[in-house]
Amino acid sequence: DAGVTQSPTHLIKTRGQQVTLRCSPKSGHDTVSWYQQALGQGPQFIFQYYEEEERQRGNFPDRFSGHQFPNYSSELNVNALLLGDSALYLCASSLLSGDYGYTFGSGTRLTVV
Amino acid sequence: AQTVTQSQPEMSVQEAETVTLSCTYDTSESDYYLFWYKQPPSRQMILVIRQEAYKQQNATENRFSVNFQKAAKSFSLKISDSQLGDAAMYFCAYRSPINTGTASKLTFGTGTRLQVTL
């Protein structure tokens, strides 16, 4: 049984470009959350998707957007990349309540140059 | 808004010894969940232990146990018989109770890097 799969594992982009990160949730999970983890920091909540809708957003600008597909997989899009967007982006899947825990992927390391 | 504080950026423990990692949090809610996650160099967050606030009994998972002090808003992690494989970043996290329209998001602390020495 596969856990959470994220792609790509590493990515280098230039300032101003756009990037799409992908996440496939653990089998049986219907909710996907995205987190940004800057170097030496704890993960920060970006947003969460359930039933193909954004349920809640953290303190991130509109340059960050997402999507959830009918098969529960999700994408995170970041437009007009800034140097400060360089971070590890983690995807976590769960059931909506989260009561049975969250399963995290190994993340995508994004470097903006 | 809820906040989670980990005041120990780094800790070191000798193999087979016991270490305690500290975590405090701030919330006005009475029902919530607390978690400890381990993040090794592989970057994947691995759940170590979780605690429901309404349960007075401290959670235990093999060598890992917590000291949950609800009134003090403290949630420390004790690792007994430390092993080399325990070396990692440890994050304390808080989750609000699920309500309509409220995401079950996790609020993380800044982490504690645990070193295990021979």
Side-chain angles (χ1 to χ4, degrees):
Chain A
D1 178 25
V4 176
T5 304
Q6 291 189 244
S7 63
T9 56
H10 296 85
L11 202 54
I12 300 175
K13 288 286 189 178
T14 303
R15 276 181 300 175
Q17 285 190 315
Q18 179 265 344
V19 67
T20 297
L21 311 181
R22 295 176 175 82
C23 173
S24 293
K26 179 180 178 179
S27 178
H29 285 178
D30 56 10
T31 303
V32 173
S33 304
W34 287 93
Y35 292 82
Q36 180 195 67
Q37 186 178 14
L39 197 61
Q41 300 294 317
Q44 298 290 318
F45 176 75
I46 303 175
F47 42 52
Q48 182 183 78
Y49 278 85
Y50 171 72
E51 291 189 340
E52 302 179 49
E53 291 190 357
E54 183 182 293
R55 283 178 51 81
Q56 190 172 352
R57 167 182 287 267
N59 189 25
F60 283 81
D62 292 344
R63 298 187 297 108
F64 290 76
S65 63
H67 190 78
Q68 186 180 33
F69 300 93
N71 66 353
Y72 307 118
S73 66
S74 177
E75 288 182 349
L76 164 64
N77 301 292
V78 186
N79 295 321
L81 285 166
L82 304 174
L83 295 179
D85 295 332
S86 295
L88 178 66
Y89 288 85
L90 294 167
C91 171
S93 74
S94 65
L95 296 175
L96 178 62
S97 68
D99 286 356
Y100 296 99
Y102 305 79
T103 301
F104 282 82
S106 296
T108 294
R109 171 74 67 189
L110 172 65
T111 302
V112 182
V113 298
Chain B
Q2 292 78 24
T3 58
V4 177
T5 302
Q6 294 179 252
S7 59
Q8 304 157 316
E10 290 192 13
M11 292 285 285
S12 183
V13 63
Q14 283 191 319
E15 200 177 18
E17 296 297 310
T18 296
V19 65
T20 299
L21 307 184
S22 301
C23 172
T24 58
Y25 57 93
D26 187 28
T27 183
S28 58
E29 295 168 327
S30 59
D31 187 21
Y32 45 86
Y33 291 82
L34 296 166
F35 304 84
W36 278 98
Y37 279 90
K38 170 185 177 181
Q39 188 178 40
S42 66
R43 309 180 320 198
Q44 184 179 17
M45 286 282 188
I46 301 167
L47 178 65
V48 174
I49 201 167
R50 68 177 226 161
Q51 174 83 41
E52 293 95 333
Y54 64 88
K55 290 186 177 180
Q56 293 185 347
Q57 186 175 5
N58 289 325
T60 300
E61 288 287 343
N62 301 314
R63 297 183 296 108
F64 299 87
S65 61
V66 299
N67 183 6
F68 173 49
Q69 300 290 328
K70 191 173 183 180
K73 297 180 183 175
S74 172
F75 182 61
S76 61
L77 174 69
K78 185 172 80 171
I79 307 174
S80 304
D81 186 24
S82 296
Q83 300 175 359
L84 293 177
D86 295 334
M89 283 293 290
Y90 285 81
F91 290 94
C92 180
Y94 173 102
R95 202 213 83 189
S96 298
I98 186 72
N99 292 305
T100 302
T102 301
S104 54
K105 71 173 188 178
L106 294 171
T107 300
F108 287 88
T110 51
T112 296
R113 181 173 301 281
L114 179 65
Q115 293 181 321
V116 181
T117 60
L118 294 171

